[in-house]
Amino acid sequence: MDPASLLDMLLSRPQAFKNESDRRIVTQVALEIVRDADLAMRHRVAQSLAARPEAPLELVLRLVHDDAGVARPLLLESPILRDTDLIEVAQQRTFRHRLAIAMRRDISADVCRA
């Protein structure tokens, strides 16, 4: 099985991993796959996670600090990103990252100031 298929399988069935230990293992495997993945695959992963409230936060955070094209779907839509996460990205990343954050449907005044 290729890495992209493995990652899709792992992340598309969060209900299969009922306890914290299983979720931690899946997250670590996903992080390793993404670490070695090319830009196109990282973008596909970000798109697939963008609207998922059960997405692994650690994986989402890794991807929002990636290339702006990879980060964009998550910065626009991810329901699990907290204000502190968005502020950190706005302060540390590029203009394109900040633009994606600014295009979110609902952002707080604190995020706007950042």
Side-chain angles (χ1 to χ4, degrees):
M1 179 178 290
D2 68 282
S5 299
L6 176 61
L7 193 56
D8 285 341
M9 182 189 74
L10 289 172
L11 298 175
S12 67
R13 300 182 49 212
Q15 68 281 2
F17 308 103
K18 298 192 185 311
N19 64 50
E20 187 59 34
S21 177
D22 289 349
R23 284 189 289 276
R24 198 174 21 251
I25 291 168
V26 168
T27 299
Q28 290 306 311
V29 170
L31 287 165
E32 287 298 315
I33 292 171
V34 166
R35 183 183 58 118
D36 296 330
D38 64 16
L39 187 69
M41 183 178 161
R42 294 191 318 270
H43 184 260
R44 283 193 311 271
V45 171
Q47 284 180 310
S48 75
L49 296 177
R52 292 185 184 176
E54 76 284 351
L57 180 60
E58 190 175 354
L59 180 58
V60 169
L61 292 174
R62 164 99 38 103
L63 293 168
V64 298
H65 284 277
D66 201 318
D67 176 83
V70 170
R72 188 174 196 275
L74 293 163
L75 293 172
L76 285 171
E77 297 180 46
S78 180
I80 66 169
L81 289 171
R82 303 161 297 208
D83 283 357
T84 55
D85 302 324
L86 296 169
I87 291 168
E88 181 179 308
V89 171
Q91 292 172 341
Q92 296 180 0
R93 302 302 297 160
T94 69
F95 174 77
R96 289 182 60 212
H97 286 81
R98 289 188 293 277
L99 184 60
I101 292 168
M103 295 172 67
R104 283 178 74 92
R105 288 184 195 265
D106 297 312
I107 57 173
S108 70
D110 291 338
V111 174
C112 286
R113 280 191 290 280

